[in-house]
Amino acid sequence: KEVKVIYQQSIEEQLDLLQGLLLDAAIENGQTFTVRRARGLAAAALSLIEGAYTISIAAGDVLPENYAVGQLKAMLALRLGYR
């Protein structure tokens, strides 16, 4: 298989996992998420993770320490209704 196909499969698996976790978290928090909304949030979270990783490899010395995890937590807390 081409690298692109393998990478796409990996991303799809990660999105599936994140989507399921987000749907579970939403239910636990009394939220109602559509699958489409959960998929979009999963894609945003994965993009933040992948982007932060890529940037940290290229320019990690100029980034604030642990900046991405804080931003990811804040984004998810806001979307899931956590205070």
Side-chain angles (χ1 to χ4, degrees):
K1 292 183 179 182
E2 292 182 32
V3 172
K4 181 179 178 179
V5 172
I6 294 169
Y7 185 69
Q8 286 177 334
Q9 290 172 341
S10 173
I11 294 296
E12 185 173 22
E13 290 171 7
Q14 292 174 66
L15 285 173
D16 290 345
L17 175 63
L18 285 171
Q19 177 182 315
L21 292 170
L22 290 168
L23 286 169
D24 290 346
I27 290 168
E28 288 178 16
N29 200 39
Q31 301 286 323
T32 303
F33 270 28
T34 62
V35 171
R36 182 178 178 181
R37 182 176 178 197
R39 190 65 165 201
L41 187 53
L46 185 57
S47 295
L48 191 152
I49 293 165
E50 289 282 321
Y53 177 75
T54 300
I55 291 170
S56 70
I57 289 171
D61 293 342
V62 299
L63 298 171
E65 187 173 333
N66 297 321
Y67 79 95
V69 70
Q71 294 304 313
L72 180 60
K73 285 180 179 180
M75 178 184 76
L76 294 177
L78 179 66
R79 294 295 182 199
L80 292 170
Y82 290 106
R83 305 283 176 225

